[in-house]
């Protein structure tokens, strides 16, 4: 077969950001399945690129339960960020956002509960069969987190209690059918994360529940055709969805964001993987955002043969 699709990425299908404070597990960040422009088939991403290609959305990991520890007077503290499952190279960056107590010089406190384990435990079910070089079957991966981290922070305004509860479920199901004339790989992946933060202080109680969903499906079909050439058909559905509900002493707000793209294209390749032609490109992108007290915004874009064919307003009102 052509070398274009000869194997899956090394290191397995599961990736996750791991955060620690002074060596103690402090949080996890799901990794969004970004596909950079040109990924798999460059024509898939013309004129609309993949979700978040032009606007990365960092995942915020709440570390407030550790605020008292980080300000305990020691000369140095260490906050580490690593990626579980990174294979050879993984580009990652982090920024620490701090809120200062302007009426005091130091906060105190302690972590009162931490049920986060030091490392995830992905479960892989390998049902691939090798019959004389022909490979068929499935490869499924699951990973889950369900943890609580709580802490007390004593500020100039008094003692405050912070609690973070997070539930994360990662799922990746792959189906393979590989012969001397066929390479088929179907991927169905999803990451769903809910983070609930609660703060109880003398000024009242605030709560925020943030839910994030990262769906991804990829279908790759490469077949040998006449003349020693190959036909590669790729279809991808990629999305990002967030819903945030907050309450501050009874006053409630909410916001939501939906960003998706569905795209397909067909390549004709030489036996060595060189491009001959492409056809049947089409894509649809949807974007919708709204928040309490803000103007709603939404667009649907469609394209065919790598040219924009329509742009429809979905929502533009309060």
């Amino acid at each position: 077969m052509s070398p274009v699709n000869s194997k899956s990425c090394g290191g397995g299908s599961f990736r996750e950001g791991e955060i620690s404070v002074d060596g103690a597990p402090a949080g996890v960040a799901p990794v969004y399945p970004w596909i950079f422009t040109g990924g798999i088939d460059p024509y898939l991403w013309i004129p609309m690129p993949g979700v978040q290609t032009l606007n990365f959305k960092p995942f915020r990991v709440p570390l407030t339960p550790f605020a008292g520890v980080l300000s305990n007077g020691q000369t140095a503290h260490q906050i580490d960020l690593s990626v579980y499952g990174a294979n050879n190279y993984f580009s990652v960056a982090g920024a620490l956002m701090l809120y200062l107590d302007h009426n005091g010089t130091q906060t105190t406190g302690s972590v009162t509960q931490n049920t986060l384990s030091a490392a995830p435990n992905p479960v892989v079910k390998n049902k691939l069969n090798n019959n004389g070089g022909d490979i068929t079957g499935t490869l499924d991966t699951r990973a889950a987190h369900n943890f609580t981290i709580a802490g007390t922070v004593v500020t100039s305004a008094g003692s405050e209690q912070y609690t973070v509860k997070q539930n994360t479920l990662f799922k990746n199901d792959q189906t393979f059918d590989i012969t001397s004339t066929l390479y088929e790989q179907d991927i169905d992946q999803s990451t769903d994360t809910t983070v609930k933060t609660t703060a109880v202080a003398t000024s009242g109680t605030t709560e925020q529940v943030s839910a994030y969903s990262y769906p991804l499906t990829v279908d790759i079909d490469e077949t040998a055709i006449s003349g020693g050439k190959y036909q590669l058909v790729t279809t991808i559905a990629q999305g990002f969805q967030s819903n945030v509900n907050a309450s501050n002493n009874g006053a409630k707000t909410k916001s939501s964001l939906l960003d998706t793209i569905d795209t397909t294209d067909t390549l004709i390749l030489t036996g060595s993987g060189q491009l001959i032609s492409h056809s049947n490109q089409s894509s649809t992108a949807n974007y919708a955002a709204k928040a309490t007290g803000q103007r709603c915004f939404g667009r649907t874009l469609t394209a065919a043969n790598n040219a924009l064919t329509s742009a429809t307003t979905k929502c533009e009102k309060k």
Side-chain angles (χ1 to χ4, degrees):
M1 284 298 294
S2 164
V4 174
N5 297 302
S6 58
K7 61 180 180 179
S8 293
C9 294
S13 62
F14 178 62
R15 304 287 187 273
E16 180 180 78
E18 312 288 346
I19 297 89
S20 64
V21 174
D22 294 335
V28 298
V31 175
Y32 185 77
W34 287 316
I35 302 177
F36 293 93
T37 300
I40 305 177
D41 174 353
Y43 296 102
L44 291 167
W45 317 113
I46 303 174
M48 285 98 76
V51 176
Q52 294 195 26
T53 297
L54 301 177
N55 183 21
F56 291 167
K57 298 185 182 301
F59 184 86
R60 289 188 175 183
V61 179
L63 298 178
T64 307
F66 293 87
V69 174
L70 291 172
S71 185
N72 62 4
Q74 293 185 9
T75 56
H77 291 277
Q78 184 166 318
I79 300 177
D80 291 319
L81 172 61
S82 62
V83 176
Y84 179 90
N87 182 54
N88 294 328
Y89 174 80
F90 200 103
S91 178
V92 63
L96 181 63
M97 184 168 61
L98 301 174
Y99 295 92
L100 301 179
D101 183 356
H102 293 287
N103 296 318
T105 58
Q106 181 182 355
T107 59
T108 59
S110 63
V111 176
T112 57
Q113 184 182 12
N114 189 347
T115 65
L116 177 60
S117 59
N121 184 29
V123 177
V124 179
K125 293 184 178 180
N126 187 337
K127 295 184 179 180
L128 295 176
N129 301 303
N130 190 330
N131 184 12
D134 293 346
I135 299 174
T136 59
T138 59
L139 183 65
D140 300 338
T141 304
R142 299 287 187 277
H145 281 295
N146 185 353
F147 63 88
T148 300
I149 301 177
T152 299
V153 182
V154 181
T155 71
S156 60
S159 179
E160 303 175 358
Q161 308 292 323
Y162 290 92
T163 303
V164 177
K165 294 184 177 182
Q166 183 168 334
N167 297 309
T168 299
L169 177 61
F170 171 89
K171 176 181 74 72
N172 179 286
D173 294 337
Q174 300 191 51
T175 302
F176 291 88
D177 188 0
I178 304 172
T179 69
S180 59
T181 59
L182 170 70
Y183 183 102
E184 180 178 343
Q185 181 180 7
D186 298 331
I187 303 170
D188 182 6
Q189 177 175 303
S190 63
T191 305
D192 296 291
T193 299
T194 300
V195 182
K196 180 180 180 181
T197 58
T198 305
V200 180
T202 55
S203 58
T205 300
T206 61
E207 182 178 279
Q208 179 172 298
V209 179
S210 304
Y212 306 94
S213 180
Y214 308 158
L216 174 70
T217 60
V218 180
D219 295 333
I220 300 172
D221 295 289
E222 186 180 12
T223 55
I225 57 178
S226 61
K229 297 178 289 188
Y230 292 89
Q231 176 179 275
L232 175 63
V233 181
T234 305
T235 302
I236 296 178
Q238 182 189 36
F240 172 81
Q241 184 171 0
S242 68
N243 290 281
V244 179
N245 294 278
S247 174
N248 187 348
N249 293 324
K252 297 182 178 181
T253 59
K254 61 181 180 179
S255 63
S256 64
L257 174 65
L258 176 67
D259 192 358
T260 66
I261 187 169
D262 295 82
T263 182
T264 186
D265 187 57
T266 300
L267 299 179
I268 303 298
L269 307 167
T270 66
S272 61
Q274 299 299 310
L275 176 66
I276 298 175
S277 64
H278 89 101
S279 61
N280 301 321
Q281 189 279 335
S282 66
S283 54
T284 301
N286 286 288
Y287 186 93
K290 58 183 178 180
T292 301
Q294 302 295 320
R295 185 177 296 277
C296 174
F297 177 84
R299 290 287 189 277
T300 296
L301 306 177
T302 63
N305 298 319
N306 303 118
L308 186 68
T309 55
S310 70
T312 306
T313 299
K314 295 178 60 179
C315 172
E316 201 169 272
K317 63 183 179 179
K318 285 191 177 181

